[in-house]
Amino acid sequence: WEVIKANLQVAYIVLNPRYRMHPGVIAVPLDARTDPEITLLANLISLTPGSLSLDVSADKKVIYAHVMYSKDADAAKREIKDGLECWVSKLFSAEKKD
């Protein structure tokens, strides 16, 4: 769903010349701790149109992402945390149960 929603948002931005982008870099605190979890999250961020994962802090507590629309940085962080990171967490917690 997140990928579809992001594609629609990017299409709207491209088709609407009056739309003002607010690109920026946001720091998203991580709940994910293992390398596979962080790697998957970084790839999902980059696969989502309009966003790109840039770096992970040395202590693996923060991921930095460039987003096309960051007028509200907290909302952009919540989208990553409540959407993508939540799915990564569910996937890896299900994997641990097996």
Side-chain angles (χ1 to χ4, degrees), residues 5-46:
K5 187 171 76 171
N7 273 301
L8 292 173
Q9 186 177 27
V10 170
Y12 178 79
I13 291 168
V14 169
L15 295 173
N16 188 350
R18 292 184 182 173
Y19 186 80
R20 300 272 186 229
M21 289 186 297
H22 298 279
V25 176
I26 58 172
V28 182
L30 289 172
D31 293 326
R33 292 288 176 237
T34 67
D35 287 344
E37 289 174 311
I38 294 169
T39 300
L40 179 58
L41 177 61
N43 285 321
L44 289 172
I45 290 169
S46 293

Side-chain angles (χ1 to χ4, degrees), residues 15-97:
L15 295 173
N16 188 350
R18 292 184 182 173
Y19 186 80
R20 300 272 186 229
M21 289 186 297
H22 298 279
V25 176
I26 58 172
V28 182
L30 289 172
D31 293 326
R33 292 288 176 237
T34 67
D35 287 344
E37 289 174 311
I38 294 169
T39 300
L40 179 58
L41 177 61
N43 285 321
L44 289 172
I45 290 169
S46 293
L47 285 171
T48 304
S51 62
L52 177 68
S53 58
L54 300 173
D55 197 10
V56 176
S57 64
D59 61 3
K60 298 180 183 178
K61 292 185 178 182
V62 176
I63 189 166
Y64 299 94
H66 179 274
V67 294
M68 283 179 57
Y69 189 78
S70 67
K71 191 172 186 178
D72 183 357
D74 290 331
K77 289 177 191 179
R78 275 193 308 276
E79 283 185 33
I80 291 173
K81 300 262 328 145
D82 297 343
L84 300 175
E85 190 175 29
C86 183
W87 283 105
V88 169
S89 176
K90 287 179 183 178
L91 174 69
F92 279 89
S93 65
E95 189 176 275
K96 290 176 188 174
K97 290 180 184 177

